[in-house]
Amino acid sequence: TPNMPLLEMIFRLLLANGNQPLELGQMHEQLQKWLGDTNNSRDLSIPKLKRILDSDRYYGLRPAPLMEEEKT
């Protein structure tokens, strides 16, 4: 639904992904697909997505911990 707040769309995206972590680029691509058929000109840039996720106080979204191979 293109009129939904972006944070709600991100939350639903994570639910649709089985509550598994997604990289910002993956979120960006999926949100573009969801909104691609509309004339909606929302800012879905990766910095905007990061800012929204960093400021979330409602859903309790947090960054996924790094896996061992990503730490090095």
Side-chain angles (χ1 to χ4, degrees):
T1 56
N3 296 325
M4 182 182 306
L6 192 51
L7 184 56
E8 174 74 15
M9 292 178 72
I10 293 169
F11 178 72
R12 290 182 181 206
L13 172 61
L14 292 169
L15 288 179
N17 193 51
N19 205 23
Q20 295 301 307
L22 290 170
E23 294 180 3
L24 288 172
Q26 293 171 307
M27 287 184 194
H28 173 78
E29 288 175 16
Q30 186 61 44
L31 290 170
Q32 281 186 318
K33 286 179 189 176
W34 282 0
L35 296 174
D37 295 336
T38 67
N39 290 329
N40 197 329
S41 60
R42 296 174 83 156
D43 180 9
L44 298 176
S45 66
I46 290 179
K48 169 95 179 210
L49 295 176
K50 180 170 176 17
R51 189 169 50 251
I52 287 173
L53 289 168
D54 288 345
S55 63
D56 168 49
R57 300 292 177 261
Y58 185 76
Y59 292 104
L61 302 174
R62 299 286 178 259
L66 292 176
M67 297 176 71
E68 282 301 317
E69 62 238 21
E70 293 175 349
K71 291 180 183 179
T72 57

